[in-house]
Each structure stands twice: as structure tokens, then as C-alpha cells.
Amino acid sequence: MELSTCFGGHNNVPSTYLIRQYLICNSIWYHFSCFPRCLYFPCNALLCLVLTMCIFWLIFLPKKPQFTVSNASLTQFNFTNSDNSLDYNLALNITIRNPNKRVGTYYRHIQVFANYRKKRCANVTLPWAPFYQGHKNTTILNHVLVEGQQLAVFGERDLSQFNLDTAAGVYSIDVKISLRVRARFGKIKTPDYGPSNINCNLKVPLSLSETLPSGFNATKCRNVHVLTNPSDYARI
């Protein structure tokens, strides 16, 4: 940079002052001109990454799957106060809908938990997994059986609510579905995600027989965050 550029053409100044101001001006100009050059490649790489992710997202537009308990049959639900035992027999039909046009899902592991009054009844690992669900596809898991006998220590309020439910013939049962999945975007497969815990709050009438209509209303499940938690499990 010339002195005339730095001082606007005024050259009638003392030489020592002129040199000092020239060095200061040249140093400032260097830093301002170097700053964009130093960040040129990192900024370009970051911009390309952001644009690639946006384009990828716009192409696939991933949507979360939809889980519905389409039918539930409760043929036994007895509590014995003397030994605090709960006997139960619950059969579920679970419908899984993939609404995506370009995203498929590998269901690697599915486990179902049933709770009553925050007391764990039982859990069952479904034999259908692993399986792949394609685009715009609906999968029905029929006759998911949760049955057995469980120790359940009910407090006074729990026992009072159980008696009310028994009189009404309808029980509030919380079903949780634990998943470990992978997504498929075209030819790209993601790592495992999970466990994702999906909540299904059911009102299940007591039925005398599994073959008779139970009067159960299909219930959509909540808290469906399937592709958010990378799995800590070892890859299978």
C-alpha cells in the first residue's frame, strides 16, 4: 500500500510520523485482507455441508412412523390381596404405519411392557423382529400376548382404584413399546437408533372370551421419537 493511499495524498508531513503511520495502516490493511482468505476453505466446506443436508432433507422429508393399538383383549385381570399377586392375560394387535415415500425402517428389536398403576405387569420380546418395513407400508403385529402372574404391592389408593375399575369392567393399562431401529434413505443405512420408548395409554374392557368383541377403541400411541437416540447397544 502506498503512502498516498493511506493518507489521502498528503505527503507534507514529518518523515518519522509518516513511516509510523504507514506501518500502522499497512498492518490494518493486511489483517482485513487476510481474514477472508484464512476462512475461505472452512466456510466453503461448512456451507457445502449445510446445503447437502438441506437438499438431503428436502428429497427424503422423513416423517415419524405411526403406532396404533388397533385391538386389545383382556380376559383375566385378578388381584389377590392375601399374597399381592396380579394375574393377567392381555392380547394386543399393534399397527405400525410408515408414511414415508422414500424412507424405509429396519425394526431390529421390539419389546412390549404393560403397567398398571405404575406397577410393572410383564414384558415380552416380540419374535417378529428383525424385519424391514418399506415405503408407505402398514405392518400389523397380531396377538401380542402379555400374560402371567406378577407380585404387585398396592397401596390404599391403588387398591381403591382397582376396585373402581373392576366395578366398571374397564382397566387403565399403560403399554410401552421399546424399539431399536435403523433407517434406510435410498441406499444409505443409518446406525442403530434406540431404545425409543413409545407410550400407549389404553382403556381395556374385561372380556369373557378372546373370540367375542371386547368393545376396545383403537388408541394411537404417543411419544414416537424413533430416529433420535443413537443406540448404545452393540451392532448386531
Side-chain angles (χ1 to χ4, degrees):
M1 178 181 292
E2 297 182 357
L3 293 178
S4 59
T5 303
C6 188
F7 299 105
H10 299 287
N11 295 323
N12 298 323
V13 292
S15 60
T16 55
Y17 175 81
L18 189 66
I19 292 171
R20 189 186 311 117
Q21 294 301 315
Y22 170 76
L23 291 175
I24 294 172
C25 182
N26 215 34
S27 176
I28 294 172
W29 177 263
Y30 171 78
H31 285 299
F32 271 97
S33 60
C34 177
F35 182 77
R37 290 201 303 269
C38 294
L39 295 181
Y40 179 78
F41 289 107
C43 286
N44 265 10
L46 180 61
L47 181 61
C48 289
L49 179 62
V50 171
L51 287 176
T52 301
M53 292 177 65
C54 289
I55 293 171
F56 184 84
W57 184 268
L58 289 174
I59 290 174
F60 290 98
L61 290 175
K63 300 177 183 178
K64 61 185 181 182
Q66 300 160 359
F67 284 76
T68 304
V69 178
S70 50
N71 193 32
S73 175
L74 185 65
T75 55
Q76 184 182 21
F77 205 73
N78 301 321
F79 176 71
T80 305
N81 201 13
S82 59
D83 59 357
N84 293 321
S85 63
L86 182 65
D87 296 277
Y88 49 88
N89 190 308
L90 175 66
L92 305 169
N93 289 350
I94 301 172
T95 301
I96 307 173
R97 172 68 179 168
N98 179 9
N100 294 287
K101 293 181 179 179
R102 300 181 179 89
V103 182
T105 306
Y106 290 93
Y107 288 89
R108 309 275 286 161
H109 181 84
I110 304 178
Q111 201 168 18
V112 175
F113 300 85
N115 303 306
Y116 177 76
R117 301 293 297 171
K118 297 183 180 180
K119 306 293 191 299
R120 175 69 51 84
C121 294
N123 63 282
V124 58
T125 300
L126 304 192
W128 292 275
F131 66 89
Y132 174 73
Q133 186 178 44
H135 314 145
K136 290 286 185 179
N137 187 268
T138 299
T139 302
I140 301 177
L141 308 179
N142 285 309
H143 203 70
V144 177
L145 191 60
V146 183
E147 64 176 348
Q149 184 183 77
Q150 186 71 26
L151 177 67
V153 180
F154 284 167
E156 185 177 342
R157 294 182 61 182
D158 296 327
L159 190 57
S160 175
Q161 186 59 51
F162 176 82
N163 291 332
L164 289 174
D165 291 347
T166 301
V170 179
Y171 296 89
S172 299
I173 298 177
D174 297 328
V175 170
K176 294 185 182 296
I177 305 172
S178 180
L179 303 173
R180 185 154 45 94
V181 303
R182 286 182 183 179
R184 179 175 177 176
F185 300 91
K187 299 294 184 181
I188 302 173
K189 295 180 183 178
T190 68
D192 284 2
Y193 282 83
S196 301
N197 294 316
I198 299 168
N199 298 325
C200 312
N201 300 323
L202 310 181
K203 298 285 188 182
V204 188
L206 187 64
S207 176
L208 298 178
S209 172
E210 293 184 11
T211 59
L212 296 176
S214 64
F216 174 79
N217 295 321
T219 304
K220 288 186 177 181
C221 301
R222 302 178 295 105
N223 195 36
V224 183
H225 304 296
V226 173
L227 300 178
T228 54
N229 303 317
S231 178
D232 293 328
Y233 290 105
R235 303 291 182 257
I236 296 177

